[in-house]
Amino acid sequence: MCGVEDSTIKFEKIGEDSYCPTCAQAFSVDWVETNKAAVLGRATEVLETMAREDDLYMPLLYFKKNFQWKWPSECPTKSHACLWTHIAKQEGIIQEYRSGEAKKNKMVCLTKYFEEATASFTSPLSDTSKQADFIEDLLWDNSGWMKRHEVILALIDKFPDSMESRVNRLQVMREGHERDKFHVGKCHLGHVVVLSKEDANKAVSLLTETEESSDVSD
């Protein structure tokens, strides 16, 4: 829905959502054709940002919210976010699927990552202690936090035989968290790896400041 609540209005169906006549006219065929390339680029950017953090998928609702967070002037409402999502699905660059118990959770990923994102999670690693210790030392050397993709690159450089595998890296992160060696904080700009859960929000704020100042300087 576009947010308009009026029982006397006849809403128009576009994709999986309904719009009032004003919104439906705004999201016309001409609008879609004019803005399609930009929308597809932004949908790809949202999911590629997470993919570089070894996160190939995200909840559909969170995916839509990313549009509003990252491009508030071009995507100011839920209706815009729903339309952008519909365009990305219609053009085939994203796949929507259900996961979790009873397949209730709607998830979305880039089509090129669909098979990998939905595959069973199995890792051949029997011991991840060396990798976890390495990450912990890295964090101590970097004020207690780092961007996750920087940690990923460091892991691959240090352990090329095992850490080229995303599944193996996920196991390292999961078991490191379980052993309370480090933790992951997430936001729409990426992930951070921190020494303590208490520092996660602070590190996410620092990441936001860093990324936003970088955008301004560019």
Side-chain angles (χ1 to χ4, degrees), residues 47-131:
L47 290 167
E48 285 287 16
T49 296
M50 294 301 127
R52 72 176 183 172
E53 314 285 13
D54 284 340
D55 228 351
L56 298 186
Y57 53 86
M58 66 172 63
L60 177 61
L61 179 61
Y62 185 58
F63 175 69
K64 292 178 180 179
K65 285 183 178 293
N66 264 262
F67 289 139
Q68 292 181 262
W69 289 330
K70 293 172 77 72
W71 298 282
S73 59
E74 294 94 338
C75 189
T77 69
K78 289 184 189 177
S79 294
H80 287 81
C82 287
L83 180 65
W84 287 22
T85 301
H86 171 67
I87 292 170
K89 285 195 293 185
Q90 192 173 49
E91 292 299 311
I93 70 164
I94 66 171
Q95 291 285 328
E96 183 181 317
Y97 63 98
R98 293 182 179 272
S99 69
E101 292 184 12
K103 302 291 184 183
K104 288 183 177 180
N105 303 320
K106 284 188 176 181
M107 310 298 287
V108 65
C109 69
L110 287 171
T111 299
K112 65 181 181 180
Y113 295 139
F114 180 71
E115 289 189 12
E116 186 178 358
T118 55
S120 299
F121 186 98
T122 55
S123 171
L125 294 181
S126 58
D127 183 12
T128 62
S129 57
K130 287 183 180 179
Q131 291 88 347

Side-chain angles (χ1 to χ4, degrees), residues 28-201:
S28 63
V29 173
D30 287 343
W31 186 95
V32 171
E33 288 304 314
T34 301
N35 294 277
K36 183 191 298 181
V39 169
L40 298 181
R42 287 163 180 170
T44 301
E45 180 180 331
V46 167
L47 290 167
E48 285 287 16
T49 296
M50 294 301 127
R52 72 176 183 172
E53 314 285 13
D54 284 340
D55 228 351
L56 298 186
Y57 53 86
M58 66 172 63
L60 177 61
L61 179 61
Y62 185 58
F63 175 69
K64 292 178 180 179
K65 285 183 178 293
N66 264 262
F67 289 139
Q68 292 181 262
W69 289 330
K70 293 172 77 72
W71 298 282
S73 59
E74 294 94 338
C75 189
T77 69
K78 289 184 189 177
S79 294
H80 287 81
C82 287
L83 180 65
W84 287 22
T85 301
H86 171 67
I87 292 170
K89 285 195 293 185
Q90 192 173 49
E91 292 299 311
I93 70 164
I94 66 171
Q95 291 285 328
E96 183 181 317
Y97 63 98
R98 293 182 179 272
S99 69
E101 292 184 12
K103 302 291 184 183
K104 288 183 177 180
N105 303 320
K106 284 188 176 181
M107 310 298 287
V108 65
C109 69
L110 287 171
T111 299
K112 65 181 181 180
Y113 295 139
F114 180 71
E115 289 189 12
E116 186 178 358
T118 55
S120 299
F121 186 98
T122 55
S123 171
L125 294 181
S126 58
D127 183 12
T128 62
S129 57
K130 287 183 180 179
Q131 291 88 347
D133 288 344
F134 173 72
I135 293 174
E136 187 177 23
D137 290 341
L138 268 181
L139 297 176
W140 278 113
D141 291 340
N142 287 274
S143 303
W145 78 279
M146 290 178 66
K147 297 176 183 178
R148 184 171 178 175
H149 67 270
E150 292 176 346
V151 173
I152 290 170
L153 293 175
L155 275 175
I156 294 172
D157 185 60
K158 181 68 174 179
F159 306 98
D161 292 340
S162 59
M163 292 296 100
E164 287 284 356
S165 165
R166 185 185 72 91
V167 172
N168 289 352
R169 295 194 299 268
L170 288 174
Q171 182 180 346
V172 170
M173 300 304 293
R174 186 183 70 249
E175 293 182 1
H177 166 75
E178 291 172 352
R179 296 201 292 264
D180 203 30
K181 281 184 167 290
F182 47 79
H183 305 275
V184 175
K186 301 182 180 183
C187 73
H188 65 287
L189 295 172
H191 296 183
V192 293
V193 185
V194 298
L195 285 167
S196 67
K197 290 180 181 178
E198 293 73 21
D199 291 334
N201 288 337

Side-chain angles (χ1 to χ4, degrees), residues 11-23:
F11 286 82
E12 185 174 333
K13 193 80 169 176
I14 302 178
E16 297 178 0
D17 297 281
S18 298
Y19 301 86
C20 70
T22 301
C23 287

